[in-house]
Amino acid sequence: MADINFNFVKIWSMRSVLFLGLMFYSLGAISQKEVTRDTVQTMVIVNKDPRLDVLAAKQAEINKRAARLTSSGRVKGYRIQVINTSNRDEANQVKAEMLRRFPEEKSYMLYQAPNFRVRLGNFLKQKDADMLKKLISNLYPQRFIYVVPDVIEYTFKEDEDLDE
């Protein structure tokens, strides 16, 4: 019987300690809320080196260029697909005609079984490719001519704007 009374007293005293602990903890939380309610507004002055802005701009430019690269380091851009045919002779004829009419643009003939595709140009921006596409479409209204995304031959210039 003495064992039961001792355990009862032990449990009751643990409950009392726990209750008092929770009460003091909640009073501390309430008092902290009151302190934070009446905080004084403070001003923080940040002095930074102006070279950080230059560094951030350079990093942004590097990120734009990196977004234009494939995983193998080649440049993503656009080309104009002039023809898609299964006839090799017709594809060679169209490629020769494109070289004759547009000597400043490089032309490519790709084979993806069973078709030959003739593509023209290396354009970083789609709007530049669209301008030449309109010109070619006016010369050959019967053909289906498309601007297609492709990996292009391109070297970035130092002060080039990469925004679309």
Side-chain angles (χ1 to χ4, degrees), residues 49-50 59 79 90 96 110-111 119 123 125 130-132 138 141 150 152 157 161:
D49 193 337
Q59 187 62 48
R79 289 192 175 137
E90 183 182 6
L110 310 165
Y111 178 69
R119 293 185 178 172
F123 300 99
K125 298 178 182 179
D130 282 334
M131 289 176 13
L132 185 60
N138 289 336
D150 205 346
I152 62 171
K157 296 167 189 77
D161 180 27

mmCIF file with all atom_site columns, all heavy atoms in Angstrom, residues 49-50 59 79 90 96 110-111 119 123 125 130-132 138 141 150 152 157 161:
data_model
loop_
_atom_site.group_PDB
_atom_site.id
_atom_site.type_symbol
_atom_site.label_atom_id
_atom_site.label_alt_id
_atom_site.label_comp_id
_atom_site.label_asym_id
_atom_site.label_entity_id
_atom_site.label_seq_id
_atom_site.pdbx_PDB_ins_code
_atom_site.Cartn_x
_atom_site.Cartn_y
_atom_site.Cartn_z
_atom_site.occupancy
_atom_site.B_iso_or_equiv
_atom_site.pdbx_formal_charge
_atom_site.auth_seq_id
_atom_site.auth_comp_id
_atom_site.auth_asym_id
_atom_site.auth_atom_id
_atom_site.pdbx_PDB_model_num
ATOM 1   N N   . ASP A 1 49  ? 30.009 47.621 -53.003  1.00 0.00 ? 49  ASP A N   1
ATOM 2   C CA  . ASP A 1 49  ? 30.987 48.017 -53.994  1.00 0.00 ? 49  ASP A CA  1
ATOM 3   C C   . ASP A 1 49  ? 30.300 48.091 -55.359  1.00 0.00 ? 49  ASP A C   1
ATOM 4   O O   . ASP A 1 49  ? 29.602 47.165 -55.757  1.00 0.00 ? 49  ASP A O   1
ATOM 5   C CB  . ASP A 1 49  ? 32.103 46.966 -54.024  1.00 0.00 ? 49  ASP A CB  1
ATOM 6   C CG  . ASP A 1 49  ? 33.323 47.438 -54.782  1.00 0.00 ? 49  ASP A CG  1
ATOM 7   O OD1 . ASP A 1 49  ? 33.179 48.334 -55.634  1.00 0.00 ? 49  ASP A OD1 1
ATOM 8   O OD2 . ASP A 1 49  ? 34.421 46.914 -54.514  1.00 0.00 ? 49  ASP A OD2 1
ATOM 9   N N   . PRO A 1 50  ? 30.452 49.184 -56.103  1.00 0.00 ? 50  PRO A N   1
ATOM 10  C CA  . PRO A 1 50  ? 29.793 49.295 -57.409  1.00 0.00 ? 50  PRO A CA  1
ATOM 11  C C   . PRO A 1 50  ? 30.288 48.252 -58.418  1.00 0.00 ? 50  PRO A C   1
ATOM 12  O O   . PRO A 1 50  ? 29.622 47.967 -59.399  1.00 0.00 ? 50  PRO A O   1
ATOM 13  C CB  . PRO A 1 50  ? 30.115 50.712 -57.873  1.00 0.00 ? 50  PRO A CB  1
ATOM 14  C CG  . PRO A 1 50  ? 31.180 51.208 -56.988  1.00 0.00 ? 50  PRO A CG  1
ATOM 15  C CD  . PRO A 1 50  ? 31.162 50.394 -55.740  1.00 0.00 ? 50  PRO A CD  1
ATOM 16  N N   . GLN A 1 59  ? 27.741 38.286 -65.356  1.00 0.00 ? 59  GLN A N   1
ATOM 17  C CA  . GLN A 1 59  ? 27.216 36.946 -65.083  1.00 0.00 ? 59  GLN A CA  1
ATOM 18  C C   . GLN A 1 59  ? 25.891 36.731 -65.807  1.00 0.00 ? 59  GLN A C   1
ATOM 19  O O   . GLN A 1 59  ? 25.634 35.650 -66.327  1.00 0.00 ? 59  GLN A O   1
ATOM 20  C CB  . GLN A 1 59  ? 27.039 36.719 -63.584  1.00 0.00 ? 59  GLN A CB  1
ATOM 21  C CG  . GLN A 1 59  ? 26.660 35.289 -63.231  1.00 0.00 ? 59  GLN A CG  1
ATOM 22  C CD  . GLN A 1 59  ? 27.699 34.281 -63.634  1.00 0.00 ? 59  GLN A CD  1
ATOM 23  O OE1 . GLN A 1 59  ? 28.876 34.460 -63.358  1.00 0.00 ? 59  GLN A OE1 1
ATOM 24  N NE2 . GLN A 1 59  ? 27.286 33.225 -64.306  1.00 0.00 ? 59  GLN A NE2 1
ATOM 25  N N   . ARG A 1 79  ? 17.255 27.657 -88.735  1.00 0.00 ? 79  ARG A N   1
ATOM 26  C CA  . ARG A 1 79  ? 17.556 27.582 -90.158  1.00 0.00 ? 79  ARG A CA  1
ATOM 27  C C   . ARG A 1 79  ? 16.241 27.558 -90.915  1.00 0.00 ? 79  ARG A C   1
ATOM 28  O O   . ARG A 1 79  ? 15.191 27.267 -90.355  1.00 0.00 ? 79  ARG A O   1
ATOM 29  C CB  . ARG A 1 79  ? 18.360 26.319 -90.479  1.00 0.00 ? 79  ARG A CB  1
ATOM 30  C CG  . ARG A 1 79  ? 19.782 26.393 -89.962  1.00 0.00 ? 79  ARG A CG  1
ATOM 31  C CD  . ARG A 1 79  ? 20.640 25.293 -90.537  1.00 0.00 ? 79  ARG A CD  1
ATOM 32  N NE  . ARG A 1 79  ? 22.016 25.497 -90.099  1.00 0.00 ? 79  ARG A NE  1
ATOM 33  C CZ  . ARG A 1 79  ? 22.807 24.540 -89.678  1.00 0.00 ? 79  ARG A CZ  1
ATOM 34  N NH1 . ARG A 1 79  ? 22.387 23.297 -89.648  1.00 0.00 ? 79  ARG A NH1 1
ATOM 35  N NH2 . ARG A 1 79  ? 24.032 24.820 -89.303  1.00 0.00 ? 79  ARG A NH2 1
ATOM 36  N N   . GLU A 1 90  ? 16.540 16.190 -106.884 1.00 0.00 ? 90  GLU A N   1
ATOM 37  C CA  . GLU A 1 90  ? 15.756 17.404 -106.660 1.00 0.00 ? 90  GLU A CA  1
ATOM 38  C C   . GLU A 1 90  ? 16.342 18.215 -105.497 1.00 0.00 ? 90  GLU A C   1
ATOM 39  O O   . GLU A 1 90  ? 16.452 19.437 -105.574 1.00 0.00 ? 90  GLU A O   1
ATOM 40  C CB  . GLU A 1 90  ? 14.292 17.033 -106.363 1.00 0.00 ? 90  GLU A CB  1
ATOM 41  C CG  . GLU A 1 90  ? 13.388 18.232 -106.195 1.00 0.00 ? 90  GLU A CG  1
ATOM 42  C CD  . GLU A 1 90  ? 11.958 17.840 -105.859 1.00 0.00 ? 90  GLU A CD  1
ATOM 43  O OE1 . GLU A 1 90  ? 11.670 16.644 -105.642 1.00 0.00 ? 90  GLU A OE1 1
ATOM 44  O OE2 . GLU A 1 90  ? 11.115 18.760 -105.788 1.00 0.00 ? 90  GLU A OE2 1
ATOM 45  N N   . ALA A 1 96  ? 21.707 23.859 -104.959 1.00 0.00 ? 96  ALA A N   1
ATOM 46  C CA  . ALA A 1 96  ? 22.497 24.660 -105.898 1.00 0.00 ? 96  ALA A CA  1
ATOM 47  C C   . ALA A 1 96  ? 21.801 25.986 -106.203 1.00 0.00 ? 96  ALA A C   1
ATOM 48  O O   . ALA A 1 96  ? 22.456 27.042 -106.287 1.00 0.00 ? 96  ALA A O   1
ATOM 49  C CB  . ALA A 1 96  ? 22.737 23.868 -107.180 1.00 0.00 ? 96  ALA A CB  1
ATOM 50  N N   . LEU A 1 110 ? 20.597 17.582 -95.565  1.00 0.00 ? 110 LEU A N   1
ATOM 51  C CA  . LEU A 1 110 ? 20.555 16.551 -94.538  1.00 0.00 ? 110 LEU A CA  1
ATOM 52  C C   . LEU A 1 110 ? 19.800 15.349 -95.069  1.00 0.00 ? 110 LEU A C   1
ATOM 53  O O   . LEU A 1 110 ? 18.828 15.505 -95.820  1.00 0.00 ? 110 LEU A O   1
ATOM 54  C CB  . LEU A 1 110 ? 19.844 17.067 -93.283  1.00 0.00 ? 110 LEU A CB  1
ATOM 55  C CG  . LEU A 1 110 ? 20.315 18.400 -92.732  1.00 0.00 ? 110 LEU A CG  1
ATOM 56  C CD1 . LEU A 1 110 ? 19.305 18.947 -91.746  1.00 0.00 ? 110 LEU A CD1 1
ATOM 57  C CD2 . LEU A 1 110 ? 21.654 18.221 -92.049  1.00 0.00 ? 110 LEU A CD2 1
ATOM 58  N N   . TYR A 1 111 ? 20.212 14.175 -94.676  1.00 0.00 ? 111 TYR A N   1
ATOM 59  C CA  . TYR A 1 111 ? 19.482 12.968 -95.051  1.00 0.00 ? 111 TYR A CA  1
ATOM 60  C C   . TYR A 1 111 ? 18.950 12.315 -93.793  1.00 0.00 ? 111 TYR A C   1
ATOM 61  O O   . TYR A 1 111 ? 19.698 11.968 -92.886  1.00 0.00 ? 111 TYR A O   1
ATOM 62  C CB  . TYR A 1 111 ? 20.383 11.984 -95.795  1.00 0.00 ? 111 TYR A CB  1
ATOM 63  C CG  . TYR A 1 111 ? 19.679 10.697 -96.154  1.00 0.00 ? 111 TYR A CG  1
ATOM 64  C CD1 . TYR A 1 111 ? 18.672 10.683 -97.113  1.00 0.00 ? 111 TYR A CD1 1
ATOM 65  C CD2 . TYR A 1 111 ? 20.010 9.510  -95.523  1.00 0.00 ? 111 TYR A CD2 1
ATOM 66  C CE1 . TYR A 1 111 ? 18.013 9.517  -97.433  1.00 0.00 ? 111 TYR A CE1 1
ATOM 67  C CE2 . TYR A 1 111 ? 19.355 8.332  -95.836  1.00 0.00 ? 111 TYR A CE2 1
ATOM 68  C CZ  . TYR A 1 111 ? 18.360 8.337  -96.800  1.00 0.00 ? 111 TYR A CZ  1
ATOM 69  O OH  . TYR A 1 111 ? 17.704 7.186  -97.110  1.00 0.00 ? 111 TYR A OH  1
ATOM 70  N N   . ARG A 1 119 ? 18.420 22.933 -96.008  1.00 0.00 ? 119 ARG A N   1
ATOM 71  C CA  . ARG A 1 119 ? 18.238 24.036 -95.059  1.00 0.00 ? 119 ARG A CA  1
ATOM 72  C C   . ARG A 1 119 ? 19.228 25.136 -95.375  1.00 0.00 ? 119 ARG A C   1
ATOM 73  O O   . ARG A 1 119 ? 20.320 24.879 -95.880  1.00 0.00 ? 119 ARG A O   1
ATOM 74  C CB  . ARG A 1 119 ? 18.418 23.547 -93.623  1.00 0.00 ? 119 ARG A CB  1
ATOM 75  C CG  . ARG A 1 119 ? 17.305 22.597 -93.225  1.00 0.00 ? 119 ARG A CG  1
ATOM 76  C CD  . ARG A 1 119 ? 17.370 22.199 -91.792  1.00 0.00 ? 119 ARG A CD  1
ATOM 77  N NE  . ARG A 1 119 ? 16.243 21.331 -91.460  1.00 0.00 ? 119 ARG A NE  1
ATOM 78  C CZ  . ARG A 1 119 ? 16.120 20.700 -90.318  1.00 0.00 ? 119 ARG A CZ  1
ATOM 79  N NH1 . ARG A 1 119 ? 17.029 20.848 -89.370  1.00 0.00 ? 119 ARG A NH1 1
ATOM 80  N NH2 . ARG A 1 119 ? 15.082 19.933 -90.096  1.00 0.00 ? 119 ARG A NH2 1
ATOM 81  N N   . PHE A 1 123 ? 20.949 31.296 -88.139  1.00 0.00 ? 123 PHE A N   1
ATOM 82  C CA  . PHE A 1 123 ? 20.325 32.451 -87.495  1.00 0.00 ? 123 PHE A CA  1
ATOM 83  C C   . PHE A 1 123 ? 20.221 32.228 -85.999  1.00 0.00 ? 123 PHE A C   1
ATOM 84  O O   . PHE A 1 123 ? 19.712 31.206 -85.556  1.00 0.00 ? 123 PHE A O   1
ATOM 85  C CB  . PHE A 1 123 ? 18.923 32.699 -88.071  1.00 0.00 ? 123 PHE A CB  1
ATOM 86  C CG  . PHE A 1 123 ? 18.930 32.970 -89.548  1.00 0.00 ? 123 PHE A CG  1
ATOM 87  C CD1 . PHE A 1 123 ? 18.624 31.957 -90.446  1.00 0.00 ? 123 PHE A CD1 1
ATOM 88  C CD2 . PHE A 1 123 ? 19.248 34.223 -90.034  1.00 0.00 ? 123 PHE A CD2 1
ATOM 89  C CE1 . PHE A 1 123 ? 18.623 32.196 -91.798  1.00 0.00 ? 123 PHE A CE1 1
ATOM 90  C CE2 . PHE A 1 123 ? 19.260 34.475 -91.397  1.00 0.00 ? 123 PHE A CE2 1
ATOM 91  C CZ  . PHE A 1 123 ? 18.945 33.457 -92.288  1.00 0.00 ? 123 PHE A CZ  1
ATOM 92  N N   . LYS A 1 125 ? 18.541 34.402 -84.020  1.00 0.00 ? 125 LYS A N   1
ATOM 93  C CA  . LYS A 1 125 ? 17.197 34.859 -83.650  1.00 0.00 ? 125 LYS A CA  1
ATOM 94  C C   . LYS A 1 125 ? 16.183 34.444 -84.708  1.00 0.00 ? 125 LYS A C   1
ATOM 95  O O   . LYS A 1 125 ? 16.449 34.525 -85.901  1.00 0.00 ? 125 LYS A O   1
ATOM 96  C CB  . LYS A 1 125 ? 17.184 36.381 -83.502  1.00 0.00 ? 125 LYS A CB  1
ATOM 97  C CG  . LYS A 1 125 ? 18.112 36.863 -82.401  1.00 0.00 ? 125 LYS A CG  1
ATOM 98  C CD  . LYS A 1 125 ? 18.119 38.362 -82.309  1.00 0.00 ? 125 LYS A CD  1
ATOM 99  C CE  . LYS A 1 125 ? 19.100 38.811 -81.236  1.00 0.00 ? 125 LYS A CE  1
ATOM 100 N NZ  . LYS A 1 125 ? 19.165 40.254 -81.130  1.00 0.00 ? 125 LYS A NZ  1
ATOM 101 N N   . ASP A 1 130 ? 12.918 34.595 -90.054  1.00 0.00 ? 130 ASP A N   1
ATOM 102 C CA  . ASP A 1 130 ? 11.592 34.878 -90.627  1.00 0.00 ? 130 ASP A CA  1
ATOM 103 C C   . ASP A 1 130 ? 11.674 35.878 -91.783  1.00 0.00 ? 130 ASP A C   1
ATOM 104 O O   . ASP A 1 130 ? 10.929 35.763 -92.760  1.00 0.00 ? 130 ASP A O   1
ATOM 105 C CB  . ASP A 1 130 ? 10.640 35.415 -89.559  1.00 0.00 ? 130 ASP A CB  1
ATOM 106 C CG  . ASP A 1 130 ? 10.095 34.329 -88.650  1.00 0.00 ? 130 ASP A CG  1
ATOM 107 O OD1 . ASP A 1 130 ? 10.023 33.162 -89.097  1.00 0.00 ? 130 ASP A OD1 1
ATOM 108 O OD2 . ASP A 1 130 ? 9.755  34.638 -87.494  1.00 0.00 ? 130 ASP A OD2 1
ATOM 109 N N   . MET A 1 131 ? 12.584 36.836 -91.678  1.00 0.00 ? 131 MET A N   1
ATOM 110 C CA  . MET A 1 131 ? 12.719 37.834 -92.751  1.00 0.00 ? 131 MET A CA  1
ATOM 111 C C   . MET A 1 131 ? 13.177 37.169 -94.052  1.00 0.00 ? 131 MET A C   1
ATOM 112 O O   . MET A 1 131 ? 12.619 37.429 -95.117  1.00 0.00 ? 131 MET A O   1
ATOM 113 C CB  . MET A 1 131 ? 13.699 38.935 -92.324  1.00 0.00 ? 131 MET A CB  1
ATOM 114 C CG  . MET A 1 131 ? 13.125 39.825 -91.253  1.00 0.00 ? 131 MET A CG  1
ATOM 115 S SD  . MET A 1 131 ? 14.193 41.122 -90.541  1.00 0.00 ? 131 MET A SD  1
ATOM 116 C CE  . MET A 1 131 ? 15.581 41.254 -91.563  1.00 0.00 ? 131 MET A CE  1
ATOM 117 N N   . LEU A 1 132 ? 14.167 36.282 -93.971  1.00 0.00 ? 132 LEU A N   1
ATOM 118 C CA  . LEU A 1 132 ? 14.640 35.586 -95.171  1.00 0.00 ? 132 LEU A CA  1
ATOM 119 C C   . LEU A 1 132 ? 13.594 34.577 -95.659  1.00 0.00 ? 132 LEU A C   1
ATOM 120 O O   . LEU A 1 132 ? 13.424 34.387 -96.860  1.00 0.00 ? 132 LEU A O   1
ATOM 121 C CB  . LEU A 1 132 ? 15.974 34.892 -94.911  1.00 0.00 ? 132 LEU A CB  1
ATOM 122 C CG  . LEU A 1 132 ? 16.618 34.232 -96.124  1.00 0.00 ? 132 LEU A CG  1
ATOM 123 C CD1 . LEU A 1 132 ? 16.890 35.251 -97.224  1.00 0.00 ? 132 LEU A CD1 1
ATOM 124 C CD2 . LEU A 1 132 ? 17.902 33.528 -95.735  1.00 0.00 ? 132 LEU A CD2 1
ATOM 125 N N   . ASN A 1 138 ? 8.242  34.386 -101.220 1.00 0.00 ? 138 ASN A N   1
ATOM 126 C CA  . ASN A 1 138 ? 7.785  35.214 -102.345 1.00 0.00 ? 138 ASN A CA  1
ATOM 127 C C   . ASN A 1 138 ? 8.379  34.724 -103.663 1.00 0.00 ? 138 ASN A C   1
ATOM 128 O O   . ASN A 1 138 ? 7.726  34.788 -104.697 1.00 0.00 ? 138 ASN A O   1
ATOM 129 C CB  . ASN A 1 138 ? 8.139  36.681 -102.121 1.00 0.00 ? 138 ASN A CB  1
ATOM 130 C CG  . ASN A 1 138 ? 7.303  37.312 -101.026 1.00 0.00 ? 138 ASN A CG  1
ATOM 131 O OD1 . ASN A 1 138 ? 6.205  36.847 -100.722 1.00 0.00 ? 138 ASN A OD1 1
ATOM 132 N ND2 . ASN A 1 138 ? 7.825  38.359 -100.419 1.00 0.00 ? 138 ASN A ND2 1
ATOM 133 N N   . PRO A 1 141 ? 6.408  30.543 -104.291 1.00 0.00 ? 141 PRO A N   1
ATOM 134 C CA  . PRO A 1 141 ? 5.133  30.452 -103.567 1.00 0.00 ? 141 PRO A CA  1
ATOM 135 C C   . PRO A 1 141 ? 4.557  29.040 -103.526 1.00 0.00 ? 141 PRO A C   1
ATOM 136 O O   . PRO A 1 141 ? 3.734  28.728 -102.674 1.00 0.00 ? 141 PRO A O   1
ATOM 137 C CB  . PRO A 1 141 ? 4.213  31.410 -104.338 1.00 0.00 ? 141 PRO A CB  1
ATOM 138 C CG  . PRO A 1 141 ? 4.836  31.579 -105.665 1.00 0.00 ? 141 PRO A CG  1
ATOM 139 C CD  . PRO A 1 141 ? 6.304  31.346 -105.502 1.00 0.00 ? 141 PRO A CD  1
ATOM 140 N N   . ASP A 1 150 ? 17.445 24.502 -84.976  1.00 0.00 ? 150 ASP A N   1
ATOM 141 C CA  . ASP A 1 150 ? 18.542 23.628 -85.359  1.00 0.00 ? 150 ASP A CA  1
ATOM 142 C C   . ASP A 1 150 ? 19.800 24.036 -84.605  1.00 0.00 ? 150 ASP A C   1
ATOM 143 O O   . ASP A 1 150 ? 19.863 25.126 -84.022  1.00 0.00 ? 150 ASP A O   1
ATOM 144 C CB  . ASP A 1 150 ? 18.780 23.744 -86.874  1.00 0.00 ? 150 ASP A CB  1
ATOM 145 C CG  . ASP A 1 150 ? 19.429 22.507 -87.472  1.00 0.00 ? 150 ASP A CG  1
ATOM 146 O OD1 . ASP A 1 150 ? 19.945 21.661 -86.709  1.00 0.00 ? 150 ASP A OD1 1
ATOM 147 O OD2 . ASP A 1 150 ? 19.421 22.385 -88.711  1.00 0.00 ? 150 ASP A OD2 1
ATOM 148 N N   . ILE A 1 152 ? 23.362 25.400 -84.951  1.00 0.00 ? 152 ILE A N   1
ATOM 149 C CA  . ILE A 1 152 ? 23.939 26.218 -86.020  1.00 0.00 ? 152 ILE A CA  1
ATOM 150 C C   . ILE A 1 152 ? 25.423 26.458 -85.794  1.00 0.00 ? 152 ILE A C   1
ATOM 151 O O   . ILE A 1 152 ? 25.951 26.214 -84.709  1.00 0.00 ? 152 ILE A O   1
ATOM 152 C CB  . ILE A 1 152 ? 23.198 27.574 -86.134  1.00 0.00 ? 152 ILE A CB  1
ATOM 153 C CG1 . ILE A 1 152 ? 23.340 28.385 -84.851  1.00 0.00 ? 152 ILE A CG1 1
ATOM 154 C CG2 . ILE A 1 152 ? 21.742 27.348 -86.498  1.00 0.00 ? 152 ILE A CG2 1
ATOM 155 C CD1 . ILE A 1 152 ? 22.823 29.807 -84.960  1.00 0.00 ? 152 ILE A CD1 1
ATOM 156 N N   . LYS A 1 157 ? 29.662 37.413 -80.654  1.00 0.00 ? 157 LYS A N   1
ATOM 157 C CA  . LYS A 1 157 ? 30.465 38.641 -80.672  1.00 0.00 ? 157 LYS A CA  1
ATOM 158 C C   . LYS A 1 157 ? 30.433 39.233 -79.277  1.00 0.00 ? 157 LYS A C   1
ATOM 159 O O   . LYS A 1 157 ? 29.515 38.983 -78.498  1.00 0.00 ? 157 LYS A O   1
ATOM 160 C CB  . LYS A 1 157 ? 29.886 39.602 -81.706  1.00 0.00 ? 157 LYS A CB  1
ATOM 161 C CG  . LYS A 1 157 ? 29.988 39.052 -83.112  1.00 0.00 ? 157 LYS A CG  1
ATOM 162 C CD  . LYS A 1 157 ? 29.134 39.846 -84.085  1.00 0.00 ? 157 LYS A CD  1
ATOM 163 C CE  . LYS A 1 157 ? 29.063 39.181 -85.424  1.00 0.00 ? 157 LYS A CE  1
ATOM 164 N NZ  . LYS A 1 157 ? 28.167 38.027 -85.465  1.00 0.00 ? 157 LYS A NZ  1
ATOM 165 N N   . ASP A 1 161 ? 23.710 41.656 -78.531  1.00 0.00 ? 161 ASP A N   1
ATOM 166 C CA  . ASP A 1 161 ? 22.493 41.587 -77.726  1.00 0.00 ? 161 ASP A CA  1
ATOM 167 C C   . ASP A 1 161 ? 21.832 40.232 -77.999  1.00 0.00 ? 161 ASP A C   1
ATOM 168 O O   . ASP A 1 161 ? 21.475 39.937 -79.122  1.00 0.00 ? 161 ASP A O   1
ATOM 169 C CB  . ASP A 1 161 ? 21.542 42.736 -78.095  1.00 0.00 ? 161 ASP A CB  1
ATOM 170 C CG  . ASP A 1 161 ? 20.271 42.720 -77.289  1.00 0.00 ? 161 ASP A CG  1
ATOM 171 O OD1 . ASP A 1 161 ? 20.297 42.194 -76.146  1.00 0.00 ? 161 ASP A OD1 1
ATOM 172 O OD2 . ASP A 1 161 ? 19.251 43.212 -77.774  1.00 0.00 ? 161 ASP A OD2 1
#
